[in-house]
Amino acid sequence: AQSVTQLDSQVPVFEEAPVELRCNYSSSVSVYLFWYVQYPNQGLQLLLKYLSGSTLVKGINGFEAEFNKSQTSFHLRKPSVHISDTAEYFCAVSRNSGGSNYKLTFGKGTLLTVNP
Amino acid sequence: DAGVIQSPRHEVTEMGQEVTLRCKPISGHDYLFWYRQTMMRGLELLIYFNNNVPIDDSGMPEDRFSAKMPNASFSTLKIQPSEPRDSAVYFCASSFLGAGAYEQYFGPGTRLTVT
């Protein structure tokens, strides 16, 4: 089974500051990794995904994440945040072999609050 | 495309009543997922379907919960009888194999309150 740990439940930052949201995973098999964003009263939207290839993945809205297999991490970064980035961010993992490939296991989420 | 459509958006019911949540996936998608989100437990996968067939229902909490997908454009999640601990936001998501089935498109959710 897979598990995901998001180390920070809340991250407050000022507008235009850089931000890193941390995600670590545990799995006995190879995995695919994802970051989703949830704006207030909305469903989740995919920010970016790592399936294979380059370990640095770029997503929408200027976000990027780096897959580090040795550290079992997939931290999300943005060099300069905007007020509109205020949302909850979820890291998720699925196995990339065998059955049930399409089950996503989510972390508990990190609430990013961008202050003026 | 209209995206994944869920109804109702909000549901308030009394304990013991039957609740039915509805989902229309994106046209052409062949996977459909039901999730539950609570503060305590976060996002949990309840069940998912492929081509209208339930593949994994190991996340369904108990026999009071049931889900059906009678055709490619409609699914229901039913709770009978409902209990206060079922209060949560229920999300439906869909995806299709052509995209690797890894990108799941979520609906806006149904906020269920059981009093």
Side-chain angles (χ1 to χ4, degrees), chain A residues 32 34 36 38 41-47 49 51 88 90 94-97 99-109, chain B residues 9 31 33 35 37 39-43 45 48 55-56 58 91 95 97 99-109 111:
Chain A
Y32 297 134
F34 309 83
Y36 281 81
Q38 184 179 28
N41 300 314
Q42 294 187 27
L44 279 70
Q45 177 184 359
L46 183 69
L47 266 181
K49 60 189 175 190
L51 303 183
E88 187 137 28
F90 293 90
S94 72
R95 57 186 297 166
N96 72 359
S97 62
S100 298
N101 281 13
Y102 311 119
K103 288 178 66 169
L104 287 176
T105 300
F106 285 88
K108 289 291 181 72
Chain B
R9 291 293 310 276
Y31 283 84
F33 306 81
Y35 291 89
Q37 185 179 38
M39 290 290 291
M40 291 297 294
R41 301 174 68 92
L43 263 167
L45 176 66
Y48 79 94
I55 302 300
D56 186 341
S58 60
F91 289 102
S95 65
L97 187 60
Y102 303 117
E103 179 163 354
Q104 295 183 17
Y105 295 80
F106 281 74
R111 182 174 296 277

Side-chain angles (χ1 to χ4, degrees), chain B residues 11-115:
Chain B
E11 176 79 43
V12 180
T13 191
E14 292 183 348
M15 182 174 63
Q17 297 298 306
E18 176 180 295
V19 175
T20 300
L21 311 182
R22 297 173 176 79
C23 175
K24 177 179 169 56
I26 293 172
S27 176
H29 283 193
D30 54 358
Y31 283 84
L32 185 138
F33 306 81
W34 281 101
Y35 291 89
R36 178 172 67 176
Q37 185 179 38
T38 61
M39 290 290 291
M40 291 297 294
R41 301 174 68 92
L43 263 167
E44 304 171 275
L45 176 66
L46 300 177
I47 184 171
Y48 79 94
F49 297 82
N50 176 219
N51 291 324
N52 313 337
V53 175
I55 302 300
D56 186 341
D57 66 355
S58 60
M60 295 286 263
E62 49 196 276
D63 291 345
R64 297 185 297 108
F65 286 68
S66 62
K68 294 182 179 179
M69 193 165 186
N71 57 61
S73 59
F74 184 65
S75 177
T76 60
L77 178 68
K78 187 175 292 186
I79 308 172
Q80 166 64 20
S82 58
E83 297 182 3
R85 60 191 167 123
D86 302 330
S87 296
V89 181
Y90 291 82
F91 289 102
C92 176
S94 70
S95 65
F96 76 103
L97 187 60
Y102 303 117
E103 179 163 354
Q104 295 183 17
Y105 295 80
F106 281 74
T110 295
R111 182 174 296 277
L112 173 65
T113 303
V114 183
T115 60

Side-chain angles (χ1 to χ4, degrees), chain A residues 63-99:
Chain A
F63 284 92
E64 65 180 31
E66 186 155 20
F67 170 54
N68 187 319
K69 188 174 182 179
S70 62
Q71 306 269 350
T72 61
S73 68
F74 191 54
H75 300 333
L76 181 70
R77 302 186 186 99
K78 186 170 182 178
S80 175
V81 294
H82 303 286
I83 299 284
S84 60
D85 292 323
T86 294
E88 187 137 28
Y89 292 79
F90 293 90
C91 182
V93 63
S94 72
R95 57 186 297 166
N96 72 359
S97 62

